[in-house]
Amino acid sequence: RGLASQTKAQQTVGTYFRYSLMDLLQKMVNGSPHFVRCIKPNDKKAKNTFDREKVEQQLRYAGVMETVRIRQHGYSHRILFADFLRRYCFLAFNYDERVLASRDNCRLLLVRLKM
């Protein structure tokens, strides 16, 4: 009897965890999650101490430095394939060509424009 009640308790905890995880995933799908990356200013947890190399390393690994470099070159936002094709497809496709929103069709547009 002890083993049966223990197995039932484990299933209940497992079931609770599964439903809890499914609920969390559903909330993430329905919402627009934003992630915050914390940058540690030093390894000693000392106040008013800033280790420049440590911070630069964290920013580089998080992709922040590359993003800044790209944005400095004028690529400040990303456009969806569908929006890109809706705006520019007439430059490279005939009016009777069926153009689906895809990476390949965006690439084909640029190829046809010799870009």
Side-chain angles (χ1 to χ4, degrees):
R1 181 177 175 160
L3 184 59
S5 64
Q6 185 179 20
T7 303
K8 188 173 183 177
Q10 287 175 346
Q11 288 175 344
T12 304
V13 171
T15 303
Y16 174 78
F17 178 75
R18 182 173 47 239
Y19 285 120
S20 177
L21 184 59
M22 288 169 52
D23 183 49
L24 176 62
L25 288 172
Q26 187 62 39
K27 287 177 183 176
M28 288 181 69
V29 168
N30 291 339
S32 298
H34 295 277
F35 299 95
V36 176
R37 290 188 175 102
C38 296
I39 305 297
K40 289 173 47 177
N42 62 67
D43 284 330
K44 298 175 184 173
K45 297 183 181 178
K47 63 179 182 178
N48 298 326
T49 304
F50 184 82
D51 182 350
R52 185 174 192 271
E53 291 177 15
K54 172 78 174 170
V55 171
E56 274 187 27
Q57 182 183 38
Q58 292 174 77
L59 293 174
R60 195 174 304 110
Y61 289 159
V64 174
M65 302 301 274
E66 182 66 14
T67 301
V68 168
R69 187 185 68 73
I70 289 169
R71 298 224 171 144
Q72 285 176 335
H73 283 80
Y75 303 103
S76 60
H77 68 282
R78 297 178 187 170
I79 185 170
L80 299 174
F81 294 137
D83 294 338
F84 181 80
L85 288 169
R86 192 175 310 114
R87 189 178 296 175
Y88 301 112
C89 73
F90 72 94
L91 295 171
F93 294 96
N94 293 326
Y95 71 93
D96 59 344
E97 282 185 272
R98 184 179 169 120
V99 181
L100 299 175
S102 70
R103 172 180 287 178
D104 290 334
N105 280 333
C106 289
R107 187 174 291 128
L108 180 59
L109 183 145
L110 294 173
V111 167
R112 286 183 179 183
L113 294 174
K114 296 178 175 59
M115 297 179 79

